[in-house]
Amino acid sequence: MHGGRDVANDASTVFDLVILGGGSGGYAAALRGAQLGLDVALIEKDKVGGTCLHRGCIPTKALLHAGEIADQARESEQFGVKATFEGIDIAGVHKYKDGVISGLYKGLQGLVASRKVTYIEGEGRLSSPTSVDVNGRRVQGRHVLLATGSVPKSLPGLEIDGNRIISSDHALVLDRVPKSAIILGGGVIGVEFASAWKSFGSDVTVIEGLKHLVPVEDENSSKLLERAFRKRGIKFNLGTFFSKAEYTADGVKVTLADGKEFEAEILLVAVGRGPVSAGLGYEEQGVAMDRGYVLVDEYMRTNVPTISAVGDLVPTLQLAHVGFAEGILVAERLAGLKTVPIDYDGIPRVTYCHPEVASVGITEAKAKEIYGADKVVALKYNLAGNGKSKILNTSGEIKLVQVKDGAVVGVHMVGDRMGEQVGEAQLIYNWEALPAEVAQLIHAHPTQSEALGEAHLALAGKPLHSHD
Ligand SMILES: Cc1cc2nc3c(=O)[nH]c(=O)nc-3n(C[C@H](O)[C@H](O)[C@H](O)COP(=O)(O)OP(=O)(O)OC[C@H]3O[C@@H](n4cnc5c(N)ncnc54)[C@H](O)[C@@H]3O)c2cc1C
């Protein structure tokens, strides 16, 4: 126990808020709650920061950045720079990655302590609608927040052995660059590892049962990514589901439903993540659940009045910033502030592969479903016309989806570093901006943000560096 009060000596304490799980959702609620004067207990069995900091967002982005440097070394001659790529020192990559994590971890621990959150290390279990049992004692609260997150899932009959058949948790600490890898699942996690490993020199094949890579994105973004991956030599098989995996003498063989076979040194299973809720007392306390997820309303309230839930444990987008937003919403609601439900379409989404895929709002297909095909306008701006993208030698597109004569309801971008443009895109979507309003804003030259400006100039009927 560190931080606020010593519950070990004060079992009669009733906290305003007891939080089970110190990942993005749980710790955001703790920090905001404490800031608003709530007496908060945060219970965590492993490390504050959860998946995102220790096994998710941060380590994967460090690997991707190391991969980017490897690619730049290989391609340096195109820019007139003489460098030789000698190879990947995986221990060095892990040292860099772990250094980033430990710096952020220390900062977060300091923040939790300085906000006077009572931090309790241990595995907790919901023991009543107003308490969590941990380390043999009962921690009581006027309100309980469930934030136990998620873990990697597999498919029926496919056992993750942590050696040749691995999850993202194992992939992040792998002590070698695999010569070849099959990645089962072409969603965000799958394509990020495909990208990093290819940059490190692996021979990578992605297997995706649906029609496209990153299948929840606008189809145009998926197709652009597929084209870019093909150019990079990342192989993929789309539209056929996995049937079985078997060990070979020195690796794994994967067979698909149509009989097609693939062999590689390792198989990374990236078919999604499932909620952590089994055996934690949720059902016993009457919390309504669906396939392991805790069900909540738009204010993150469960059906039990004293219990809320946030993050990957609830069936909303599995993103760290979604967890932050949901945690903050709960803290503010409990502190008596006015809160508004989250517009999940307005949450930016970035896939950090090379090239990046970034989006906010809805896809063209969804817009047509909602508004009718004749009421939707889509415009594509090619990064070939953007000076900074040319300098960086990246290609891609920005696609805007607009309700005819109305607001921009979707921004879909593909290209290196386009994830950094999603901040402006989210303002455009969330402020329901009209193309003509965005077209009035002057973008710095030469930046990639200019591409977003130019796309809106074109949509407003006055294209500059693009053909009419
Ligand atoms: C490889 C990978 C890459 C990702 N990349 C990104 C990205 O780039 N951007 C992004 O936004 N999101 C990314 N994510 C998703 C992001 O990490 C999650 O959405 C986020 O961590 C969810 O936060 P959470 O608080 O709900 O759960 P978690 O972060 O999983 O935290 C839950 C915490 O609860 C603790 N816990 C569980 N049970 C108990 C118990 N009984 N007692 C005490 N403690 C308990 C766990 O130890 C854990 O620390 C990535 C995920 C993965 C796996």
Side-chain angles (χ1 to χ4, degrees):
M1 203 278 341
H2 2 248
R5 54 182 81 209
D6 185 357
V7 279
N9 298 319
D10 185 8
S12 63
T13 302
V14 178
F15 289 92
D16 293 320
L17 176 60
V18 173
I19 302 170
L20 185 57
S24 311
Y27 85 70
L31 294 177
R32 184 68 180 129
Q35 197 174 50
L36 292 169
L38 300 181
D39 197 4
V40 180
L42 179 62
I43 302 168
E44 169 57 53
K45 67 174 179 182
D46 187 9
K47 289 181 187 158
V48 67
T51 303
C52 170
L53 179 53
H54 303 283
R55 298 173 297 280
C57 328
I58 300 297
T60 46
K61 268 79 260 182
L63 293 191
L64 283 157
H65 183 61
E68 186 183 338
I69 292 174
D71 286 335
Q72 287 186 346
R74 283 190 195 97
E75 293 158 13
S76 63
E77 244 180 82
Q78 286 178 30
F79 304 92
V81 176
K82 286 190 180 298
T84 37
F85 174 70
E86 289 180 14
I88 298 291
D89 162 21
I90 198 71
V93 171
H94 287 313
K95 190 170 163 220
Y96 148 66
K97 174 200 75 179
D98 294 342
V100 174
I101 295 171
S102 70
L104 291 169
Y105 180 42
K106 276 200 193 88
L108 184 58
Q109 285 174 305
L111 205 54
V112 168
S114 73
R115 295 265 173 95
K116 305 267 183 286
V117 169
T118 297
Y119 184 72
I120 304 168
E121 267 170 26
E123 184 158 5
R125 189 172 192 282
L126 188 69
S127 47
S128 82
T130 53
S131 66
V132 172
D133 284 359
V134 56
N135 305 332
R137 12 193 96 245
R138 184 147 295 188
V139 182
Q140 306 203 65
R142 274 178 267 284
H143 206 92
V144 176
L145 175 61
L146 308 177
T148 42
S150 66
V151 285
K153 269 197 314 209
S154 189
L155 297 175
L158 178 59
E159 200 186 319
I160 293 177
D161 65 14
N163 183 23
R164 281 195 257 173
I165 303 181
I166 63 173
S167 72
S168 61
D169 290 353
H170 307 111
L172 285 169
V173 292
L174 203 64
D175 61 359
R176 63 190 190 284
V177 173
K179 275 195 194 55
S180 56
I182 297 169
I183 299 180
L184 194 57
V188 176
I189 294 176
V191 300
E192 287 189 355
F193 274 104
S195 186
W197 279 346
K198 181 67 190 179
S199 301
F200 288 172
S202 301
D203 180 16
V204 181
T205 307
V206 183
I207 308 284
E208 169 55 57
L210 298 177
K211 265 176 28 202
H212 287 294
L213 296 178
V214 288
V216 298
E217 293 292 341
D218 191 280
E219 197 175 27
N220 190 57
S221 295
S222 296
K223 285 183 175 165
L224 289 170
L225 179 67
E226 287 158 14
R227 195 185 302 161
F229 268 20
R230 225 174 268 125
K231 237 173 118 185
R232 289 186 61 196
I234 298 174
K235 292 171 260 176
F236 48 87
N237 194 89
L238 305 173
T240 311
F241 284 98
F242 165 88
S243 167
K244 63 177 175 181
E246 294 155 291
Y247 293 115
T248 58
D250 49 5
V252 188
K253 182 168 84 179
V254 167
T255 310
L256 302 191
D258 61 2
K260 219 190 244 179
E261 293 176 345
F262 299 86
E263 282 192 40
E265 182 186 324
I266 55 168
L267 168 62
L268 168 62
V269 181
V271 295
R273 295 177 61 83
V276 174
S277 57
L280 296 183
Y282 300 173
E283 268 151 339
E284 289 92 318
Q285 299 309 323
V287 176
M289 322 237 325
D290 180 25
R291 286 164 298 145
Y293 287 100
V294 170
L295 298 176
V296 287
D297 67 9
E298 69 267 50
Y299 293 97
M300 316 317 295
R301 295 178 292 210
T302 71
N303 59 317
V304 179
T306 51
I307 301 178
S308 300
V310 295
D312 285 7
L313 179 63
V314 304
T316 53
L317 279 173
Q318 290 185 331
L319 290 170
H321 45 291
V322 171
F324 295 149
E326 292 175 344
I328 290 169
L329 189 152
V330 170
E332 295 189 346
R333 174 167 55 74
L334 295 178
L337 300 189
K338 184 174 162 9
T339 50
V340 289
I342 293 167
D343 169 10
Y344 287 93
D345 288 332
I347 291 171
R349 305 162 296 258
V350 182
T351 305
Y352 300 82
C353 47
H354 164 42
E356 288 184 347
V357 179
S359 64
V360 65
I362 56 178
T363 62
E364 181 180 354
K366 180 91 182 284
K368 284 182 170 164
E369 246 175 71
I370 298 174
Y371 301 102
D374 55 333
K375 297 275 184 310
V376 172
V377 180
L379 177 131
K380 291 188 213 167
Y381 178 81
N382 197 313
L383 293 186
N386 175 249
K388 187 62 189 266
S389 297
K390 203 85 189 148
I391 290 165
L392 295 172
N393 193 27
T394 187
S395 54
E397 281 177 11
I398 292 180
K399 174 174 168 179
L400 302 178
V401 179
Q402 181 203 8
V403 176
K404 212 172 192 170
D405 302 321
V408 173
V409 293
V411 181
H412 304 277
M413 306 182 280
V414 178
D416 286 341
R417 303 193 189 175
M418 292 314 282
E420 301 299 331
Q421 305 309 321
V422 87
E424 180 177 1
Q426 94 181 71
L427 292 181
I428 292 168
Y429 171 86
N430 285 291
W431 271 337
E432 300 177 13
L434 301 174
E437 292 168 332
V438 184
Q440 251 188 314
L441 302 172
I442 299 158
H443 291 76
H445 176 76
T447 60
Q448 284 185 297
S449 74
E450 225 182 345
L452 206 48
E454 294 248 7
H456 285 85
L457 280 170
L459 194 56
K462 45 181 196 175
L464 184 61
H465 297 98
S466 61
H467 300 282
D468 295 5

